[in-house]
Amino acid sequence: MAELWQLLTEEDWDTPQVIVHRGKLLANIEAMAAFANRHGVRVRPHVKTHKTWEIFALQQAAGAVGLTCAKLGEADVFLQRGATSVLVAYPLVGSRKLERLFALLARFPEAEVQTIVDSPEQAAALAQAAVSRGLELPVWVKVDSGLRRVGVLPGAPAAKLVRVVQKLAGLRLLGLLTHAGHAYGAASPEQVAEIGAQEAACLVETAAMLADQGVAGLHISVGSTPTVRVSGAVPDVTEIRPGNYVFYDATQVQLGAATPDQCALRVLTRVVARPEPGRIVIDAGAKTLALDKGAHGSDALAGHGLIVGHADAVIERLSEEHGVVQIAADSPIRVGDLLEIIPNHACPVVNLTDELTVIGEDGTLETWPVIARGKVR
Ligand SMILES: Cc1ncc(COP(=O)(O)O)c(C=O)c1O
């Protein structure tokens, strides 16, 4: 079958270009919504993957209760567009951050802005800032389910922090939250599933411990794209926060979380040179494809993306504007050809482009601006 971009003539395309197959995107969003409905969990997708209002609007239409982001700058642009419930799932530390958080709350008084806490000191600073403004901030206690990044350990340490937070005026405790990013380093789909089971179990057990101590009714929020179908199906989990699932990418394919066909985001690139029979150069380099060899710092992938329809080609190195690709000496690829690449990690690819070119099933094109691009603060 012709690739979608081939519905247009080759000359219509300027390259490199980040394209999204609308049909695949919708299928990914609908499949996650159906999963959530089946298991009675709310979806609060992480928008760092797409940073695009149009895609969040599709997620909302499919039932998302709000969004997750990492940065106040991301929260700001989505609130400006009308988001009503935003979770900044990152420890907000320092007076500048707290000023910006409360300035956002003042600008969008109708919206709910939630965040996370992972230590008594950080929680106390947030609480004090909220009290001094006569506000109450909804917060999750962030639990470390194995990533060893931020978060308090599950069980007694998490329960202790919950009780501290409960006593702090200015904070309203929502529940327990974790992100099993260590699943990206798993060696097999079975290990991904084990990590997903553990991700949910450690929160459910902590909540049960707290219920015994009289703290009931806590929400439980889990979710990374590889683990969510296991952790999100565990009874007592109430909310899931997958991000990458809207696009998927070569990392998810390698982990067994998606097939290449489900990957909705691709980079369209042109062959600009074939200096040797076995080597071509494409116009997508590190400034388009990003340098990840996996997510969360893993380097499980051999090349810098999968070239659709050329399984034997390896994108072996990137400089800023060039990709150097090994091909078979008798490959029919010629200078001027267009190639479609499934990148290793879709999220940083989006953060490197101003807009996404969205291709409908009938070849219609739309341009969606990446509104939260570069919002690193
Ligand atoms: C706190 C948090 N929640 C959810 C996600 C979404 O994970 P994924 O992109 O694997 O779906 C992330 C990703 O970094 C995260 O840090």
Side-chain angles (χ1 to χ4, degrees), residues 190-207:
E190 293 72 30
Q191 204 183 346
V192 172
E194 266 170 45
I195 291 172
Q198 175 60 19
E199 176 188 13
C202 72
L203 296 195
V204 171
E205 283 160 21
T206 305

Side-chain angles (χ1 to χ4, degrees), residues 140-271:
W140 298 84
V141 165
K142 171 92 190 236
V143 178
D144 178 1
S145 54
L147 178 57
R148 301 295 176 263
R149 203 170 58 179
V150 297
V152 65
L153 289 174
K160 191 170 164 197
L161 182 58
V162 162
R163 290 195 308 277
V164 168
V165 170
Q166 263 203 319
K167 289 195 193 102
L168 286 171
L171 300 186
R172 178 163 56 86
L173 180 67
L174 296 168
L176 304 171
L177 174 149
T178 194
H179 167 62
H182 51 306
Y184 284 98
S188 64
E190 293 72 30
Q191 204 183 346
V192 172
E194 266 170 45
I195 291 172
Q198 175 60 19
E199 176 188 13
C202 72
L203 296 195
V204 171
E205 283 160 21
T206 305
M209 178 184 282
L210 280 157
D212 285 344
Q213 298 168 9
V215 184
L218 294 182
H219 284 283
I220 294 184
S221 173
V222 297
S224 70
T225 291
T227 59
V228 70
R229 283 174 190 278
V230 174
S231 58
V234 170
D236 296 333
V237 167
T238 55
E239 196 162 293
I240 58 174
R241 307 179 321 279
N244 184 274
Y245 79 99
V246 287
F247 295 144
Y248 295 120
D249 52 27
T251 300
Q252 305 291 350
V253 171
Q254 180 253 337
L255 285 167
T259 62
D261 193 51
Q262 288 174 296
C263 294
L265 178 136
R266 317 276 175 101
V267 170
L268 202 58
T269 179
R270 202 176 289 275
V271 180

